[in-house]
Amino acid sequence: MKGIFITMEGPDGAGKTTQIEKLRDYLEEQGYDVLLTREPGGTVISEAIREILLNPEYKEMKPETELLLYASARAQLVQQVIGPAVEAGKAVISDRFVDSSVVYQGIARGLGIETVYEVNRPAIGKYMPDATFLLDLPAEVGIARKKNQAELDRMEQESLEFHKKVRDGYCALADRDPERILKIDATLPIDSIYDMIKSRVSELLAC
């Protein structure tokens, strides 16, 4: 079987985890060995970088530092996990990938889309997602959902204005690359969202 790489994107609280689990079950039914991963994280080194990036005590972290740390975690994940799995014919589903950096650091932090792509080019190599699902959610709704947690990480603690920029950035990215990125209203019922994801993945598998 030909390996495939699928990513799930969207603001915090959009329900990515639920849809990833449902998609994993579907791909396994189609005969795939499925590997789930996340960003930042997915390897010992990348998880250590995640702890630095999301630590709420590091409020002094500069946007450039943030960008480079995310790219470093991504490079390790691609070379150690994603690349080998795709080459082995597996299906890889990642909770976030480079689109998150484009939106959070490139747009919301103001570093620029092209800067993010340039920094991440060595990290990504040839492994851009075959399909990306953007679970679109108003910033206010996402924040309200996450506040039910005991503790918010450094990124989740950002201002409402920041999260609005993130949401707008994701929508702009989907408009920029509609063939790869499918934007879905994350306020819809879980099964309705899954049906749209399943339909697009079925098309991908038929190619």
Side-chain angles (χ1 to χ4, degrees):
M1 301 179 75
K2 180 182 178 182
I4 57 171
F5 178 29
I6 298 170
T7 55
M8 201 75 65
E9 294 281 355
D12 294 316
K16 297 189 301 296
T17 301
T18 298
Q19 295 302 328
I20 287 171
E21 291 173 352
K22 292 175 77 67
L23 180 56
R24 174 197 59 200
D25 293 344
Y26 170 70
L27 287 169
E28 287 178 345
E29 291 172 0
Q30 305 309 304
Y32 272 99
D33 184 358
V34 182
L35 185 150
L36 302 186
T37 190
R38 68 174 182 175
E39 282 209 345
T43 73
V44 172
I45 292 172
S46 301
E47 290 290 338
I49 296 172
R50 179 187 181 91
E51 291 185 11
I52 295 171
L53 279 164
L54 301 185
N55 190 327
E57 295 181 6
Y58 298 154
K59 297 186 186 301
E60 73 275 20
M61 188 179 296
K62 300 301 182 184
E64 293 82 1
T65 305
E66 191 176 271
L67 170 63
L68 292 168
L69 284 173
Y70 273 109
S72 297
R74 184 167 297 124
Q76 189 68 28
L77 178 64
V78 168
Q79 294 186 38
Q80 186 177 340
V81 176
I82 294 176
V86 171
E87 297 303 324
K90 298 180 181 180
V92 178
I93 309 173
S94 181
D95 184 348
R96 300 191 181 280
F97 196 58
V98 71
D99 294 316
S100 284
S101 284
V102 171
V103 170
Y104 281 83
Q105 286 78 53
I107 296 174
R109 297 288 194 214
L111 295 180
I113 292 174
E114 296 309 319
T115 297
V116 173
Y117 279 130
E118 187 65 27
V119 168
N120 278 274
R121 190 165 289 116
I124 296 169
K126 65 178 183 179
Y127 297 104
M128 276 296 285
D130 297 298
T132 296
F133 298 101
L134 167 59
L135 302 187
D136 179 43
L137 191 70
E140 297 88 345
V141 178
I143 290 174
R145 291 181 180 179
K146 297 300 288 187
K147 281 184 177 178
N148 292 326
Q149 294 182 179
E151 183 178 356
L152 300 178
D153 65 36
R154 189 178 63 87
M155 300 299 286
E156 292 167 347
Q157 288 181 3
E158 286 288 350
S159 67
L160 176 60
E161 185 61 31
F162 177 83
H163 288 289
K164 285 182 176 179
K165 289 180 180 179
V166 168
R167 196 266 179 111
D168 291 344
Y170 269 124
C171 291
L173 203 59
D175 290 339
R176 176 174 173 158
D177 192 0
E179 291 188 6
R180 176 174 64 87
I181 304 174
L182 176 63
K183 184 173 74 172
I184 301 173
D185 182 353
T187 65
L188 291 171
I190 290 173
D191 287 341
S192 297
I193 295 172
Y194 170 64
D195 287 343
M196 285 185 272
I197 293 173
K198 179 180 176 182
S199 177
R200 174 63 71 89
V201 173
S202 296
E203 294 174 0
L204 179 64
L205 298 182
C207 294

